[in-house]
Amino acid sequence: MAEGGARVKGNALLLGDGAEVRFMRTLRLPESGTHNLPPGLGEFPLRRVEDHPDTVPAEWLAKGGVMLPVYLREAMWLSFAGTAQPTALQVGVGKVCAVSGERWTGELGRDPQNYLVLPRQPWLDGINSGKGTVRQFVAVPLGLGATVEGQVTGEETTGGVQLQAFGLAAEALARWREAERARTAVPRWGPPAGGPLPSGPSVGYGAGPMMPAAAPAPAYGGPPGSAAEPRMRARAAEPRRSPAMGLGVGGAMRQEVYRDDRGLGEWAREPAARVFVHLVSPPEWRRITGEEPPPSPVDRAAYTKAGLPWFDCYDESGTDLAPSGALGQVEPVGEWLGEDGNPWIQPAPGQVKPLGKTPRPGRPVQDGDW
């Protein structure tokens, strides 16, 4: 593996020399219809598995990586706003590629494309299952058949999220750096046309004020009251096996997964970093870390009634990848767990905010065998 590796800085995963990934809490969409982009409601906290050797399951120590707490049926999206240089990022859900729908191989492929191009891709909210749309990532326990992994492969043995990042090959990286130097050599009174805005966790979907948390739900939970972010120790005596969780899908939203306009040979042959992200139920998070998990998720009807924003992203310069046939067949979690009865209120026209084209040291994370 190339130098760089995976590091944790706050709640961000730094992959290689230029990629940054944050896991964002959000409103869960209705499973029928196609919707605008939901808001960011704060970051999921990240902890390194190796920092809790006495309380995590032994198989987690073998896989290494990081963990985050998530409620049953809670939705999430991945923000790449802090990415500093071109990166090919593979995203697996239970070792099924979220872009191509094929089983995880760990190698970049173009037929079909099995990776995202950062920072061109500002975020990913779900699996590439429709033309110009994705189906939202939603957390569910393994063993019910509701995960993407279970529906695509017929097995539920892995769970979690897998990330692997490839930087540009040496010659392509040198060309990109030279182009960046030329592009940014402009008068101080303005950025170059089409140039990036400052990046970081504050860049992305729009913001809203603090939302009240719903009443705590038993076991895995129910509806995270936290500041709506721009879109961006009681230790058990013995470790035990934790209820495994993975990602299924929820409602559809308008979002493109962009085609790579570089040749495959421009990317490095070896990954700069890879990491396994374990999904932990709130009770297990409390037991493993001694920390309280975030509050249960915000109710979407209350959010919309409060007049807070939803988002619509339009980018005429990007080319959307064709949807994956395998991922297009994945059914939403409601088909497996039943409807939740959470009401849906259509946002008023003024609540939908247009988003233009998104401009543009940490502690090392131990890798393992997965």
Side-chain angles (χ1 to χ4, degrees), residues 189-201:
W189 55 79
L197 297 176
S199 61

Side-chain angles (χ1 to χ4, degrees), residues 227 248 288 331:
I288 290 171
E331 297 178 329

Side-chain angles (χ1 to χ4, degrees), residues 49 51-56 61 235-240 287-288:
V49 167
D51 290 337
H52 302 277
D54 298 327
T55 50
V56 297
L61 286 174
R235 295 165 64 92
E238 297 292 336
R240 59 174 180 169
R287 184 190 66 79
I288 290 171

Side-chain angles (χ1 to χ4, degrees), residues 84-221:
Q85 64 186 41
T87 301
L89 179 68
Q90 294 182 308
V91 179
V93 285
K95 296 184 77 171
V96 171
C97 178
V99 177
S100 70
E102 297 186 340
R103 289 183 184 244
W104 183 271
T105 64
E107 297 180 353
L108 298 182
R110 287 290 288 272
D111 190 21
Q113 181 177 314
N114 64 357
Y115 58 94
L116 305 170
V117 182
L118 312 187
R120 181 69 184 83
Q121 188 81 38
W123 45 63
L124 183 70
D125 286 66
I127 61 171
N128 179 33
S129 58
K131 185 175 177 58
T133 64
V134 300
R135 291 201 78 103
Q136 190 174 41
F137 292 133
V138 174
V140 287
L142 301 190
L144 303 178
T147 62
V148 175
E149 176 186 4
Q151 295 187 58
V152 172
T153 71
E155 302 175 327
E156 290 184 315
T157 59
T158 303
V161 178
Q162 299 75 44
L163 301 174
Q164 183 162 264
F166 293 77
L168 289 172
E171 291 186 5
L173 180 59
R175 290 194 300 270
W176 176 81
R177 286 175 172 167
E178 181 59 33
E180 283 295 287
R181 282 192 290 269
R183 186 181 61 80
T184 55
V186 296
R188 295 185 61 181
W189 55 79
L197 297 176
S199 61
S202 64
V203 177
Y205 290 12
M210 180 79 74
M211 287 292 296
Y220 286 107

Side-chain angles (χ1 to χ4, degrees), residues 27-39 123 125 131-136 205 231 250-256 300 304 310-313 342-347 352:
L27 299 174
R28 184 161 52 84
L29 298 173
E31 294 178 357
S32 59
T34 301
H35 304 277
N36 295 112
L37 302 176
W123 45 63
D125 286 66
K131 185 175 177 58
T133 64
V134 300
R135 291 201 78 103
Q136 190 174 41
Y205 290 12
R231 178 110 192 184
M253 73 186 78
R254 287 177 281 276
Q255 184 174 108
E256 294 180 328
R300 63 186 180 226
T304 302
W310 295 73
F311 303 92
D312 184 21
C313 183
N342 194 352
W344 167 244
I345 296 177
Q346 189 70 26
V352 179

Side-chain angles (χ1 to χ4, degrees), residues 15-93:
L15 303 177
D17 294 326
E20 180 174 307
V21 181
R22 293 174 185 266
F23 295 85
M24 306 299 298
R25 309 185 79 193
T26 191
L27 299 174
R28 184 161 52 84
L29 298 173
E31 294 178 357
S32 59
T34 301
H35 304 277
N36 295 112
L37 302 176
L41 297 175
E43 302 164 355
F44 286 96
L46 284 183
R47 300 292 180 266
R48 301 189 310 168
V49 167
E50 63 207 80
D51 290 337
H52 302 277
D54 298 327
T55 50
V56 297
E59 60 268 31
W60 289 19
L61 286 174
K63 292 178 179 178
V66 297
M67 55 187 173
L68 62 83
V70 62
Y71 289 83
L72 172 66
R73 286 186 166 183
E74 184 172 6
M76 71 166 61
W77 56 276
L78 279 57
S79 170
F80 313 126
T83 297
Q85 64 186 41
T87 301
L89 179 68
Q90 294 182 308
V91 179
V93 285

